[in-house]
Amino acid sequence: MFLIAGLGNPGRDYANTRHNIGFDVIETLAGQENIYVLEKKHKAVIGKGYIGGQKVILAKPQTYMNLSGESIREMADYYKIDVKEELIVIADDISLEAGQIRLRKKGSAGGHNGLKSIITHLGHDEFQRVKMGVGGKPDGYDLADYVLGHFTQDERKRMDEAAKEAADAIRMILAQGIEAAMNHFNGKR
């Protein structure tokens, strides 16, 4: 069973913000695969189903970004997820241009508080991730204000396409493994 967790913040105020692109990817994947992400459990909203014959849990932690690890650790323990092989985390990344995706098998938090929380709660950084580029912070902007800012109309179109590409990447991870998916998707654009 795979746990696929998109990071974000709960509530309408945070919808359509850069920091919530993980939630957007979960919604895209859920819509494509007819999985309803409605059940409130483990400090998250989750949906269970199958993608390409693999049993999956799609999750949107509701702990706010900086405490994402609490929810993910609780789900991993409850469902006996091998976090090194069966956890996929989707997060925003300001070091990638808007719409670019990059897959990783492991790595540091890179200043991302949601990833930092997950690493702290798991005790290591060895989990698969789909990093979603949201563009670099413009000079003079506060980082928190930037990632909690809303996409422009053009950016939103680009991010919707990127969410579909990320869903394809996740399907490839499930079917062929992270290495094949990294070889296929990393370096595009």
Side-chain angles (χ1 to χ4, degrees):
M1 178 186 307
F2 280 81
L3 171 57
I4 304 168
L7 302 188
N9 287 308
R12 270 188 293 213
D13 291 346
Y14 298 103
N16 197 36
T17 62
R18 291 173 181 85
H19 231 16
N20 272 35
I21 192 65
F23 280 11
D24 294 347
V25 173
I26 290 294
E27 289 299 325
T28 298
L29 190 58
Q32 292 172 342
E33 299 292 337
N34 294 313
I35 297 172
Y36 297 96
V37 181
L38 300 170
E39 186 179 358
K40 293 180 180 176
K41 202 171 184 180
H42 310 295
K43 301 176 188 167
V45 179
I46 67 169
K48 299 173 188 168
Y50 289 87
I51 298 175
Q54 293 279 3
K55 190 169 185 180
V56 299
I57 298 166
L58 302 182
K60 298 189 300 186
Q62 301 293 291
T63 53
Y64 289 93
M65 183 66 77
N66 296 357
L67 301 174
S68 299
E70 288 179 16
S71 173
I72 288 174
R73 180 62 195 245
E74 189 175 310
M75 287 184 282
D77 289 348
Y78 184 84
Y79 295 105
K80 298 179 178 27
I81 302 293
D82 175 350
V83 293
K84 292 182 181 180
E85 301 293 328
E86 300 170 331
L87 171 62
I88 302 169
V89 174
I90 308 145
D92 61 292
D93 190 322
I94 61 165
S95 67
L96 299 174
E97 69 180 66
Q100 185 179 8
I101 69 168
R102 183 162 297 143
L103 310 179
R104 291 282 182 252
K105 284 194 327 190
K106 61 181 183 175
S108 73
H112 191 285
N113 289 332
L115 294 175
K116 194 180 300 181
S117 174
I118 295 167
I119 291 167
T120 298
H121 281 85
L122 296 181
H124 60 78
D125 66 359
E126 296 179 55
F127 56 91
Q128 301 170 104
R129 53 198 85 177
V130 177
K131 298 166 84 172
M132 303 292 298
V134 294
K137 171 185 79 69
D139 289 340
Y141 269 70
D142 175 70
L143 180 59
D145 289 342
Y146 179 68
V147 295
L148 295 175
H150 295 274
F151 290 113
T152 66
Q153 207 169 12
D154 286 344
E155 286 174 328
R156 182 74 259 174
K157 285 180 193 165
R158 199 171 331 144
M159 296 313 295
D160 288 345
E161 287 305 310
K164 291 175 189 169
E165 187 177 3
D168 290 343
I170 290 165
R171 277 191 281 275
M172 184 176 257
I173 293 169
L174 296 175
Q176 300 176 37
I178 187 74
E179 296 286 345
M182 286 169 60
N183 288 336
H184 183 78
F185 287 94
N186 288 355
K188 278 189 166 186
R189 286 185 204 238

